[in-house]
Amino acid sequence: MENTQPKVVSSSQPIIPSKEHVYLEGPKSRKFELDFAWRVFKQFIKGFRALHFVGPCITVFGSARFKEDHPYYLDAREFGKRIASLGFTTMTGGGPGIMEAANRGAYENNGRSVGCNIQLPFEQLANKYLHTSITFEHFFVRKVLMMKYSYAFIILPGGFGTMDEFFETLTLVQTRTITQFPIVLFGKEFFKELWEYLEFMAQEGTISREDLLLVKLTDSIDDAMQHIESFIQKNFKVTPRKKMWWLLEKR
């Protein structure tokens, strides 16, 4: 009988070369684990030194895939401009798309612009609208730094990475692991089904309905910035960190 099964064409080379997942492969030698912990520690110290004087930040998350003529790119650019007008530093993941747009809006309007980039199997270059740029090897180090220096978070449409950043930020705020900083979810149409599922989770009791109050869903840049500004003014006194002359830290 003739075999009618389709042939499976295999390739020894992946389309996108994967990174060696050394810290997920199980037990290693103690020396290896110590070396890995030391490399992570050095990344944290490098990040702390680079970002120590960037000033209070507002972090903008969003897709790297939107081009400069896309409506969400234009929105992100306006957000960067508004953040600069408040006197805050705009912090992003440092790459293209929404990240570039927010950095660009700040950069072009005399605001401070910071990018925390990430090493990927496919190259992601830092955008050109950055006053301070630092690249991390691991996502978890990067996310710590992007949250550590921020007083508010703006989430624009994005993919897996943006959802990861949104839910981790929301989890940290909900569990009071970090201070209750304002979180804005921008794009009602894009996030419609996601918000409906959050409502479903509240209905099922897996989250509290009060948890939904931790996020402001809006289509208005004015409403988003007013929400952030009023929350910060009501709850915090924000002042840039001053450099002491006897410290050898980078400005």
Side-chain angles (χ1 to χ4, degrees), residues 9-232:
V9 179
S10 61
S11 173
S12 59
Q13 296 295 329
I15 296 175
I16 298 176
S18 60
K19 183 177 178 182
E20 184 183 3
H21 295 160
V22 292
Y23 60 95
L24 295 179
E25 292 179 349
K28 296 283 187 178
S29 69
R30 289 174 176 168
K31 181 180 182 306
F32 180 91
E33 302 292 10
L34 180 61
D35 288 342
F36 171 73
W38 176 246
R39 291 198 306 273
V40 171
F41 176 73
K42 287 196 297 183
Q43 283 188 60
F44 275 118
I45 296 300
K46 178 183 177 182
F48 294 157
R49 286 182 57 80
L51 302 175
H52 192 67
F53 293 107
V54 297
C57 301
I58 293 177
T59 292
V60 179
F61 296 122
S63 174
R65 302 188 181 192
F66 294 128
K67 305 303 181 183
E68 65 177 348
D69 60 346
H70 195 284
Y72 288 136
Y73 184 104
L74 300 177
D75 289 332
R77 190 173 174 182
E78 180 64 21
F79 269 119
K81 177 181 177 180
R82 299 289 191 91
I83 292 169
S85 70
L86 287 182
F88 282 79
T89 296
T90 298
M91 178 178 283
T92 76
I98 293 296
M99 297 173 281
E100 175 187 291
N103 288 134
R104 182 177 180 178
Y107 191 92
E108 293 178 339
N109 291 277
N110 300 315
R112 191 78 181 271
S113 177
V114 174
C116 296
N117 211 338
I118 186 71
Q119 295 177 16
L120 295 173
F122 45 94
E123 188 174 25
Q124 175 174 291
L125 298 177
N127 69 67
K128 61 183 179 180
Y129 302 103
L130 299 170
H131 296 106
T132 302
S133 178
I134 183 170
T135 301
F136 298 100
E137 183 180 356
H138 302 296
F139 276 103
F140 66 89
V141 178
R142 180 199 196 203
K143 285 190 289 186
V144 168
L145 273 296
M146 293 180 74
M147 295 178 188
K148 176 178 173 61
Y149 297 96
S150 292
Y151 281 73
F153 303 90
I154 301 171
I155 295 88
L156 281 91
F160 292 147
T162 303
M163 293 298 96
D164 173 52
E165 290 155 345
F166 167 54
F167 280 110
E168 178 154 352
T169 303
L170 182 56
T171 299
L172 293 175
V173 170
Q174 189 269 339
T175 57
R176 300 182 183 179
T177 303
I178 62 174
T179 305
Q180 185 180 331
F181 296 127
I183 301 172
V184 171
L185 198 60
F186 185 83
K188 285 186 176 180
E189 184 62 30
F190 184 89
F191 290 114
K192 178 182 177 182
E193 285 78 12
L194 175 64
W195 193 260
E196 289 174 351
Y197 195 76
L198 293 176
E199 292 276 5
F200 172 73
M201 292 167 67
Q203 177 183 327
E204 293 295 308
T206 57
I207 63 173
S208 301
R209 186 156 296 279
E210 291 75 17
D211 292 339
L212 297 178
L213 300 177
L214 299 174
V215 182
K216 181 174 183 62
L217 176 64
T218 183
D219 271 332
S220 168
I221 296 176
D222 289 336
D223 287 348
M225 295 308 300
Q226 184 178 11
H227 172 69
I228 291 172
E229 184 177 4
S230 61
F231 190 97
I232 291 175

